[in-house]
Amino acid sequence: MTQEPPKGSEGVHTDFSDRMTYGEYLRLDQLLDAQKPLSSHHDEMLFIMIHQVSEIWMKLMLHELQAAIRSIQHDDMQPAFKMLARVSSIQKQIIHAWDVLATMTPSEYMEFRDHLGRASGFQSYQYRMIEFALGYKTNAVLKIYRKDKDLHNRLEKAYKKPSLYDVTLEQLSKAGFDLDPQVLNRDYTDLYKQNPSVETAWAIVYKDVDRYWHLYQLAEKLVDLEDSLQQWRFRHMKTVERIIGHKKGTGGSSGVGYLKKVLEHRFFPELWDVRTHF
C-alpha cells in the first residue's frame, strides 16, 4: 500500500543526484564523526560534545568580535552594535551548556578523566583569542601553543592587535575627549590599566546621552558583553567545583582556585565604576 505524502510536502525535492544536500552543505559527515571517546564510559560523549559545541560557538564569537573591532576602527558603529549584541546572545548559549555538563556526577567523570592526559580547556586557543580581543593579555599563556608553530604565530598576531576596548577609547578621543596619552599610545600587548581620564570621559557620556548617543550605545554593548562573559566564567567555575571539587585541573592549573581568580578581572573597568557617579 502506497502511503500518501504529508500534506504540504508535495513539492519537496527528493532527487539529489546532481544537487548539494543539507548534509553536504554543513559537512555533517565530518562534524558528526568528530566525537571519538577514548574510554567505554557512557558520559565521555557528553563531555566531548559540550566542549566541541562551545568551541563552535566561540568560533562565531571571534568572527563577530573581530568584525566589530574593524567596524569601530572605520567609524562604522551600527554594524558593530549588532555584532556585539550577537556575541552577548551567543554567550547565553554557552552559559546554558554548563547546565547540561553539570548533569554528570563526580564518580562518572572519574571513570574517564585519566584518558584526558594533560588535555584541558585551559588550552583552548579560541578562548585565549577572545580574551585577547577583549584586552586580557598575558604573555605566559602563549607558551602553551609552541607545539603548533602556525597556531602560535596566529595567537601572537592576535596578542599584538588592539582590543575592542582600545578601539573604543580611540572613539572617545575622536569625539573630543581629553584622554591621557598613555592610554592612547600604550603598547597593545600590555594589560590595560584603569585610568581616571577614561572614567571622566564616560561620566560625561552617561550624563549627556543625546549628544553622545553612539558612544553611550557602544558602552552599554560592552557592559552587556562583560556581564555575559563573567556569568559564563562563574558557571564554568561552579560546574568544575561540582564535578571535581578542588582537585587540580588536567592541564596543571589549580582548577577552581584559578577560575575564581580570573573572575576578579574586569575588561572595561571604567564602565563599571562610572555607575557610582549617578
Side-chain angles (χ1 to χ4, degrees):
M1 180 178 177
T2 304
Q3 200 172 36
E4 290 293 321
K7 189 175 181 180
S9 66
E10 294 83 358
V12 171
H13 295 292
T14 57
D15 182 4
F16 289 94
S17 55
D18 60 351
R19 293 184 176 92
M20 179 175 64
T21 66
Y22 170 82
E24 289 168 341
Y25 175 67
L26 295 179
R27 300 189 180 184
L28 290 182
D29 54 342
Q30 298 174 43
L31 185 65
L32 300 180
D33 194 42
Q35 296 75 45
K36 306 289 186 183
L38 298 179
S39 75
S40 59
H41 194 273
H42 175 81
D43 284 357
E44 190 181 356
M45 181 65 80
L46 164 67
F47 187 82
I48 291 172
M49 293 193 71
I50 288 294
H51 289 84
Q52 287 182 340
V53 167
S54 295
E55 290 290 338
I56 290 173
W57 279 125
M58 282 192 276
K59 182 174 183 176
L60 184 55
M61 284 175 65
L62 279 169
H63 177 71
E64 300 295 341
L65 283 172
Q66 291 163 352
I69 289 172
R70 291 192 296 270
S71 291
I72 295 168
Q73 285 177 311
H74 291 94
D75 305 323
D76 195 7
M77 306 299 284
Q78 288 302 321
F81 295 156
K82 181 172 183 178
M83 294 164 187
L84 295 177
R86 183 174 290 163
V87 172
S88 294
S89 294
I90 294 167
Q91 287 174 307
K92 291 179 175 62
Q93 297 296 320
I94 300 180
I95 290 168
H96 289 308
W98 294 120
D99 295 335
V100 182
L101 186 60
T103 63
M104 185 170 61
T105 66
S107 58
E108 289 165 343
Y109 178 54
M110 292 309 295
E111 288 289 329
F112 64 85
R113 188 180 193 238
D114 287 346
H115 289 273
L116 304 182
R118 297 301 179 192
S120 165
F122 187 85
Q123 298 147 18
S124 169
Y125 72 86
Q126 290 198 121
Y127 179 72
R128 296 303 172 192
M129 291 182 74
I130 290 170
E131 286 188 326
F132 293 169
L134 297 180
Y136 185 59
K137 299 182 179 182
T138 51
N139 184 268
V141 301
L142 291 175
K143 296 177 183 177
I144 298 170
Y145 309 99
R146 286 182 296 193
K147 178 180 179 180
D148 185 331
K149 187 176 181 180
D150 289 339
L151 177 58
H152 186 272
N153 290 339
R154 182 180 168 194
L155 280 157
E156 198 167 40
K157 187 177 179 181
Y159 181 76
K160 294 176 180 177
K161 285 184 176 181
S163 71
L164 179 61
Y165 203 39
D166 288 322
V167 298
T168 295
L169 297 181
E170 288 172 5
Q171 286 295 321
L172 281 176
S173 179
K174 288 179 181 180
F177 290 101
D178 185 21
L179 300 187
D180 188 335
Q182 291 183 354
V183 171
L184 297 173
N185 303 318
R186 72 188 195 85
D187 184 344
Y188 293 138
T189 64
D190 290 338
L191 193 62
Y192 177 76
K193 294 180 181 177
Q194 192 166 353
N195 189 285
S197 69
V198 174
E199 188 170 337
T200 298
W202 284 126
I204 295 170
V205 169
Y206 274 82
K207 288 175 182 176
D208 197 349
V209 171
D210 291 337
R211 181 178 178 184
Y212 300 109
W213 178 244
H214 71 290
L215 289 171
Y216 173 74
Q217 282 185 292
L218 180 54
E220 285 298 287
K221 289 291 184 290
L222 297 189
V223 170
D224 288 343
L225 198 64
E226 180 163 354
D227 191 350
S228 296
L229 184 65
Q230 293 293 56
Q231 289 184 52
W232 183 90
R233 283 174 155 183
F234 180 79
R235 287 298 299 132
H236 183 191
M237 181 270 292
K238 294 307 292 183
T239 303
V240 171
E241 185 175 25
R242 175 172 178 158
I243 296 175
I244 68 167
H246 289 264
K247 295 185 181 75
K248 269 195 168 188
T250 50
S253 76
S254 59
V256 169
Y258 168 79
L259 295 174
K260 284 183 177 179
K261 186 68 178 176
V262 296
L263 276 169
E264 298 174 5
H265 176 77
R266 297 188 301 171
F267 293 92
F268 319 123
E270 295 91 355
L271 287 175
W272 294 97
D273 288 347
V274 74
R275 283 153 164 72
T276 308
H277 299 303
F278 294 92

